[in-house]
Every structure is written in structure tokens, then in C-alpha cells.
Amino acid sequence: DSDNEEATWLQKQIAYRLTQFDQTLNDLNRLLASTPDDVAALLKRAWVFVKREQYPSALAELYHVLEIDSDNQEATWLRAQIHYILGSFDDALNNLNKLLILTPDNVDVLLKRAWVFVKRKQYASAHVDLVRVLEIDSDNQEATWLGEQIH
């Protein structure tokens, strides 16, 4: 039956990807055992944890990265994303605000912050960010769509 074959194939693909993550994690663990403050390796391990939906472990890695490099934009962005996923909108907002100090015209950050404002029912603040996005990128479909939803 082709449905069973497809399901079996999908299960094998998922198992393979999980095995890849396990191997990557083992490799990173070995590397970090000898160089525990390797920012690149810590960030990669955080991404593996995110892919495995192990958000507390990912956040621990990101806090470690930010202890070493307080302005690390990748760590701050990923931390904001995780807090958003977890519904910790105050924490997401704090990270996004920090990023906007470093990169004030970052469309991705402005859009994510607009979404946070929508989740917090702060529509006027969301509107301000969406207007800014459209000033930077007048064809931005997500900003246009979200702006229409909140009016």
C-alpha cells in the first residue's frame, strides 16, 4: 500500500534527521568539553536544541554565549525567537529591543516585534513598527497583511 510506504519513508527520514542531530550534538559536546567558551560551537549546539524543540537547553546555551559576548546578535535573535515560541512575550520584547539598538532598520526584528505587540494587544505599537518596515521595504507582504489585520 503506497500510504504505508510513504509513512515508512517519512519515519525513516525523521529517524535519519534525529540521528544526524544526535551525532552533531555528540561532536559539539566533545568540542565544548575542551573549549567550553567556543561561541560558534555554543550557537550550533543551541540551534540543534531548537531543532529538537529542547528550548530550555537552547536558552541555557544562549545565555552562556551572551555572558561571553553580550552583543552577539545571533544569540539575541534566537533567544527572542524561543521566548516568542514559548509565549514569553516580555522576554522576547526585551531581546528584540536590544537588537533594534544594534540594528535599528532590521526588518525581521521589526516584524517580530510587531507580532509581539499584537500578541500583547498593543496594536498602536505594532502599527508603528509595521509603518517602519514598509518605509524600509514598501513591498513587504507580511507587514502589509499584518497591518490590515489590526485595523
Side-chain angles (χ1 to χ4, degrees), residues 20-72:
Q20 280 185 313
F21 287 143
D22 289 343
Q23 185 57 52
T24 301
L25 196 54
N26 289 337
D27 293 344
L28 290 167
N29 288 340
R30 277 195 298 280
L31 174 62
L32 287 163
S34 60
T35 55
D37 292 340
D38 183 326
V39 168
L42 288 165
L43 284 168
K44 285 179 184 151
R45 191 162 67 176
W47 278 106
V48 170
F49 286 137
V50 168
K51 295 290 186 185
R52 293 170 62 147
E53 298 183 5
Q54 295 174 318
Y55 300 120
S57 297
L59 285 171
E61 296 297 291
L62 297 170
Y63 279 101
H64 188 171
V65 167
L66 291 165
E67 287 171 2
I68 299 164
D69 176 8
S70 63
D71 288 335
N72 188 292

Side-chain angles (χ1 to χ4, degrees), residues 38-135:
D38 183 326
V39 168
L42 288 165
L43 284 168
K44 285 179 184 151
R45 191 162 67 176
W47 278 106
V48 170
F49 286 137
V50 168
K51 295 290 186 185
R52 293 170 62 147
E53 298 183 5
Q54 295 174 318
Y55 300 120
S57 297
L59 285 171
E61 296 297 291
L62 297 170
Y63 279 101
H64 188 171
V65 167
L66 291 165
E67 287 171 2
I68 299 164
D69 176 8
S70 63
D71 288 335
N72 188 292
Q73 292 180 31
E74 182 179 357
T76 305
W77 172 247
L78 187 53
R79 196 167 66 169
Q81 296 279 63
I82 293 168
H83 284 305
Y84 184 87
I85 290 166
L86 296 175
S88 304
F89 299 122
D90 290 344
D91 292 326
L93 186 59
N94 289 336
N95 284 278
L96 295 167
N97 287 339
K98 179 180 175 182
L99 281 170
L100 286 169
I101 290 168
L102 300 170
T103 59
D105 292 333
N106 186 316
V107 168
D108 292 331
V109 176
L110 286 164
L111 278 170
K112 182 57 75 174
R113 190 170 74 169
W115 278 104
V116 169
F117 285 137
V118 167
K119 294 288 188 181
R120 293 168 55 142
K121 298 184 180 357
Q122 295 174 306
Y123 302 114
S125 296
H127 178 75
V128 169
D129 281 354
L130 295 171
V131 167
R132 182 69 191 121
V133 168
L134 291 169
E135 287 171 356

